[in-house]
């Protein structure tokens, strides 16, 4: 396991940082959840742009939830550790979600390009199937990205330091 040092002995700073990150985390969840709920429940928002936006909000929730809860929990305990397997899982999910987010942002840029430059053909180019394929491609590229990053991490030799 890895020992995380953080701010040893500064309990007030740790409580302040926990409170700050808790507020930011809850606002992130509420804001993105509201976007997903609004897109899902309002039939006027069932368009390619909002479909991609709702998927971006979902990925943002996943990014925020991949490392933040562990970090906040570590602010509240004396012995801050993370196992090697948990660390690898955290790396996997952070890279998966951020890689997917990058490709989804490119897809959203393509959607806006089609809407601006080819408005008469927008609904035929950006059909429901195309939007689903763009989201699936973003998850696939994120998975390939994280697999390659994790492969490099696993072949590295780690030096064990004993105090």
């Amino acid at each position: 396991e890895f020992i995380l040092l953080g701010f040893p002995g500064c309990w007030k700073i740790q409580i302040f940082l926990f409170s700050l990150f808790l507020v930011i985390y809850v606002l992130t969840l509420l804001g993105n959840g509201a976007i997903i709920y609004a897109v899902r429940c309002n039939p006027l928002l069932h368009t390619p742009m909002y479909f991609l936006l709702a998927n971006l909000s979902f990925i943002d929730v996943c990014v925020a939830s991949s490392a933040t809860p562990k970090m906040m929990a570590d602010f509240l305990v004396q012995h801050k550790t993370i196992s090697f397997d948990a660390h690898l899982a955290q790396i996997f999910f952070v890279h998966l979600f951020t890689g997917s987010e990058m490709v989804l942002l490119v897809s959203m840029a393509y959607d806006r390009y089609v809407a601006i430059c080819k408005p008469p053909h927008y609904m035929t180019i950006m059909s429901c199937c195309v939007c689903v394929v763009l989201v699936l491609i973003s998850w696939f590229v994120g998975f390939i990205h994280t697999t390659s990053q994790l492969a490099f991490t696993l072949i590295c030799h780690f030096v064990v330091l004993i105090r």
Side-chain angles (χ1 to χ4, degrees):
E1 65 184 12
F2 297 107
I3 298 173
L4 308 171
L5 297 177
F7 300 101
C10 298
W11 186 246
K12 289 180 182 178
I13 292 174
Q14 291 181 46
I15 294 298
F16 170 75
L17 289 174
F18 172 79
S19 303
L20 177 68
F21 282 105
L22 179 64
V23 168
I24 293 170
Y25 181 63
V26 168
L27 289 175
T28 300
L29 294 180
L30 290 175
N32 286 306
I35 291 171
I36 293 168
Y37 179 77
V39 170
R40 184 170 169 84
C41 292
N42 189 344
L44 297 174
L45 300 180
H46 291 176
T47 63
M49 179 178 74
Y50 289 108
F51 174 76
L52 295 173
L53 183 64
N55 279 282
L56 181 66
S57 291
F58 175 73
I59 291 176
D60 282 342
V61 167
C62 294
V63 168
S65 299
S66 60
T68 308
K70 170 66 174 146
M71 178 193 66
M72 290 189 319
D74 284 342
F75 284 134
L76 300 177
V77 295
Q78 279 301 109
H79 189 65
K80 303 167 186 7
T81 62
I82 187 169
S83 69
F84 184 73
D85 293 338
H87 181 65
L88 286 179
Q90 205 172 56
I91 289 173
F92 176 85
F93 287 114
V94 166
H95 280 274
L96 172 68
F97 299 136
T98 55
S100 298
E101 186 173 41
M102 287 185 292
V103 177
L104 189 60
L105 286 170
V106 171
S107 300
M108 292 174 79
Y110 175 70
D111 172 66
R112 292 296 84 202
Y113 164 77
V114 173
I116 293 168
C117 296
K118 301 181 186 291
H121 305 290
Y122 179 72
M123 290 312 290
T124 55
I125 294 173
M126 293 302 295
S127 66
C128 182
C129 291
V130 170
C131 290
V132 169
V133 166
L134 289 173
V135 169
L136 291 176
I137 287 172
S138 74
W139 283 102
F140 178 73
V141 170
F143 180 76
I144 296 300
H145 169 75
T146 193
T147 304
S148 64
Q149 294 295 317
L150 210 56
F152 288 127
T153 303
L154 290 176
I155 62 172
C156 291
H157 298 286
F158 292 96
V159 178
V160 177
L161 298 174
I162 301 174
R163 291 205 246 189

